[in-house]
Amino acid sequence: AGGGRRAGGRERQRLQKVNTFFKQLQFVDDSRLWQKNDYWATPLEFLGAAGGDCEDFSIAKYFTLLELGIPDEKMRMVYVKALRYNQFHMVVAYYETPSSVPVILDNLIPDIRPATARNDLIPIYSFNGQHLWLMKARGQGEMAGNASRLGSWNELRNSMTTGKLALPKLRLE
């Protein structure tokens, strides 16, 4: 049991370091940065542009955590309604165990908080490398198939596989 606690502690430490690292990048709307209504940047595009929108923050955190050994089944990208801003938003949820309350990595709030402390977010759907879930209240959600049903997710993964990266239209200082 002690080994499991240490592993969970190492994972939490990785979450914190990744969240802190990406706080130094700027929020920039897709229409300004990419001159598109919606563009899911690869982590390299996001870092190269030195900024992006909430999807870009979440995607970069998700793939960085995967590279650091956090299992895909412990993470989900969650599409939410951000009540404070009255707009759709994306965050990363980390589940220490399948039944645990996830903690949320969010570019709107600098610290990592449990989902139960985030009444400002209403989950709509979530996904990871394999699956797509439709959210029901504040529970785990109901599996709705493969994540490959999401067109933007497929385009992002294709860009990462082929190495064909876009250049931002806006230069950030």
Side-chain angles (χ1 to χ4, degrees):
R5 271 189 300 239
R6 282 193 300 274
R10 282 194 302 269
E11 287 183 354
R12 289 289 187 117
Q13 199 172 43
R14 289 176 186 156
L15 295 176
Q16 191 61 56
K17 286 182 178 183
V18 166
N19 205 50
T20 299
F21 174 81
F22 285 109
K23 282 192 288 192
Q24 64 189 313
L25 288 117
Q26 292 180 283
F27 179 88
V28 184
D29 191 77
D30 284 339
S31 60
R32 287 187 60 223
L33 186 59
W34 303 103
Q35 294 182 349
K36 296 181 178 185
N37 286 339
D38 191 32
Y39 183 73
W40 290 16
T42 69
L44 288 176
E45 290 169 332
F46 178 54
L47 286 169
D53 69 0
C54 61
E55 290 97 352
D56 304 330
F57 277 91
S58 295
I59 289 163
K61 290 175 185 181
Y62 171 84
F63 281 106
T64 301
L65 290 166
L66 279 177
E67 286 296 318
L68 292 173
I70 305 292
D72 189 47
E73 60 270 10
K74 288 188 169 190
M75 292 188 295
R76 294 186 189 176
M77 287 186 279
V78 187
Y79 196 64
V80 300
K81 175 88 182 255
L83 298 176
R84 186 177 306 135
Y85 299 96
N86 193 31
Q87 65 185 32
F88 294 107
H89 180 58
M90 189 177 287
V91 299
V92 176
Y94 165 81
Y95 294 79
E96 192 167 339
T97 67
S99 61
S100 64
V101 170
V103 293
I104 304 298
L105 288 76
D106 183 359
N107 65 296
L108 294 177
I109 294 179
D111 54 323
I112 298 171
R113 296 182 186 172
T116 52
R118 294 300 307 272
N119 293 331
D120 58 318
L121 303 177
I122 298 175
I124 299 169
Y125 68 86
S126 65
F127 61 98
N128 63 15
Q130 302 298 316
H131 301 291
L132 168 68
W133 293 267
L134 298 177
M135 303 310 281
K136 286 185 167 182
R138 294 196 173 265
Q140 289 267 341
E142 179 178 304
M143 192 168 308
N146 293 332
S148 60
R149 291 178 57 187
L150 299 170
S152 295
W153 181 238
N154 289 335
E155 289 173 23
L156 167 77
R157 291 175 70 171
N158 185 49
S159 293
M160 290 176 67
T161 303
T162 63
K164 293 182 181 176
L165 304 177
L167 293 173
K169 307 298 184 206
L170 172 71
R171 208 72 177 127
L172 299 178
E173 298 301 322

